[in-house]
Amino acid sequence: MKVLLTGSSGFIGAQIDEQLSKRGDEVVRVDALIPEAHGAHRYADEGLHVVDVRDAARWGDLLDGVDVVCHQAAMVGAGVTVADLPLYAGHNDLGTAALLAAMHERGVDALVLASSMVVYGEGRYACPDHGEQQPPARSRSALDAGDFENHCALCDRPLTWELVPEDARLDPRSSYAASKLAQEHYTLAWARQAGTRAIGLRYHNVYGPGMPRDTPYSGVAAIFRSSLEAGRAPQVFEDGGQMRDFVHVHDVARANVLSIDAVRERPAESWTTYNVASGTPVPILRVAAVLAETSGGPAPEVTGDYRPGDVRHVVASPERASAELGFTAAIAPDQGIADFATAPLRASVR
């Protein structure tokens, strides 16, 4: 099979490239090597096409003969300031739209899209007495007072988190989240208008060897690692009780390979999303503690600080991916995070 892989030199893309190449697929590698994702290290090789996805209409024959596009290229992270909005809109929104238009022009009709759990906003919640709830964004006054939980609108009791299925409400709450949902919407429109087929993979917290270090655009696990390597205690926001699902990059790559095989068999005008998760929720403080204990570094510090736009709990249901893709994560978070404590990271951003 011939697969065009955008973001092929990135943290996740490089793992997908390795798995596809090992099984004998022909991989067309495309990456713009943006510094937010790559830092000082470029990971370029002779087979890499250093081009920008926003310029896909001018790629020439890169899409010719391609069976499936696996679209990993994106500006990632929660966004450092609102000044990052044009970067997200450009790389993610415009980049995806330009790629889809170029695919249509070249007759490529199958796509696997890297999406994210951030499209859900807050996860799924319930009150023991009043059932399912859809909490609004947490107020700054409550966060300033150290009240980090979502509360029932009727009795004010703290809500309990539940697993989030793919048909949950979509409610992006950051610039990155808005751009990832836009990617999904463009892809759905492309599938319907062009009679094509696509799979969207909503990654949960991806970690593993090769994460970029010392960058605010990286994942929280790498940020904790970078602090520990510098001899500093990991800084844990809120009270550390935020529940997340951490999924190893090797499992994420395998979910992509399964999706690449599956998408070509889907009917025309097909668009299906899947959570890509370990299925084992972990509190953020536990992640920091495991990394600190395994590396022998200083214990985490719970700061009580918060970031506007952050959500309290978001934990995935892995059932659809298991039933329809045959994907079940092989690496449990406790073991994978412990291994990650000494795994190699990418070079620092300069």
Side-chain angles (χ1 to χ4, degrees):
M1 188 186 306
K2 187 174 182 179
V3 180
L4 186 142
L5 175 61
T6 73
S8 63
S9 293
F11 167 47
I12 297 172
Q15 295 289 342
I16 297 170
D17 181 13
E18 181 178 343
Q19 292 191 21
L20 290 173
S21 297
K22 277 185 176 179
R23 72 176 196 171
D25 289 333
E26 179 183 354
V27 182
V28 181
R29 302 172 181 88
V30 169
D31 203 302
L33 300 175
I34 63 173
E36 291 83 3
H38 297 272
H41 200 104
R42 289 298 182 260
Y43 289 83
D45 58 46
E46 292 182 0
L48 177 66
H49 301 276
V50 183
V51 293
D52 195 315
V53 72
R54 294 170 293 183
D55 295 328
R58 296 197 291 268
W59 281 359
D61 59 0
L62 290 183
L63 282 162
D64 286 352
V66 166
D67 297 299
V68 180
V69 171
C70 184
H71 183 31
Q72 305 294 314
M75 174 74 180
V76 299
V80 178
T81 72
V82 293
D84 290 326
L85 279 166
L87 288 173
Y88 288 105
H91 287 287
N92 300 357
D93 300 16
L94 175 59
T96 299
L99 175 63
L100 293 170
M103 289 172 64
H104 179 64
E105 179 68 22
R106 295 283 177 162
V108 182
D109 66 354
L111 175 76
V112 175
L113 171 71
S115 188
S116 170
M117 68 174 189
V118 296
V119 299
Y120 297 121
E122 283 286 358
R124 192 179 183 191
Y125 294 86
C127 171
D129 295 327
H130 300 105
E132 186 175 339
Q133 303 276 318
Q134 293 183 341
R138 297 174 295 171
S139 70
R140 286 179 179 264
S141 59
L143 294 169
D144 287 337
D147 179 9
F148 302 116
E149 297 292 350
N150 290 294
H151 293 264
C152 176
L154 299 175
C155 67
D156 202 40
R157 290 176 62 182
L159 298 173
T160 57
W161 60 265
E162 296 188 341
L163 297 180
V164 180
E166 287 84 354
D167 59 359
R169 178 184 67 159
L170 305 181
D171 184 21
R173 298 189 177 186
S174 69
S175 51
Y176 173 57
S179 73
K180 297 307 287 186
L181 185 54
Q183 287 184 297
E184 289 198 8
H185 285 166
Y186 279 119
T187 302
L188 173 58
W190 168 78
R192 287 176 172 169
Q193 290 179 264
T196 52
R197 48 201 52 79
I199 286 175
L201 300 179
R202 292 174 178 163
Y203 302 157
H204 286 249
N205 290 69
V206 186
Y207 71 97
M211 290 187 82
R213 57 157 55 91
D214 297 332
T215 165
Y217 298 96
S218 188
V220 66
I223 292 171
F224 290 159
R225 267 285 311 272
S226 296
S227 294
L228 288 164
E229 287 186 349
R232 301 189 304 268
Q235 302 295 292
V236 179
F237 283 7
E238 301 188 15
D239 60 0
Q242 309 95 301
M243 296 299 294
R244 297 290 190 272
D245 189 302
F246 282 78
V247 58
H248 197 278
V249 67
H250 292 169
D251 283 323
V252 174
R254 186 162 52 85
N256 275 274
V257 173
L258 289 168
S259 299
I260 287 166
D261 290 341
V263 70
R264 297 180 67 209
E265 306 303 320
R266 297 297 167 91
E269 302 183 29
S270 172
W271 161 248
T272 312
T273 56
Y274 296 97
N275 288 324
V276 177
S278 72
T280 305
V282 183
I284 292 291
L285 180 56
R286 173 65 180 161
V287 175
V290 169
L291 292 173
E293 291 165 6
T294 307
S295 65
E301 293 179 0
V302 178
T303 67
D305 293 338
Y306 64 88
R307 293 188 305 182
D310 274 359
V311 298
R312 181 59 176 171
H313 306 299
V314 55
V315 176
S317 168
E319 291 183 6
R320 181 188 286 181
S322 176
E324 298 183 13
L325 291 179
F327 171 76
T328 301
I331 302 173
D334 267 2
Q335 183 58 54
I337 291 167
D339 291 343
F340 178 62
T342 56
L345 299 182
R346 292 198 175 193
S348 300
V349 172
R350 293 174 182 171

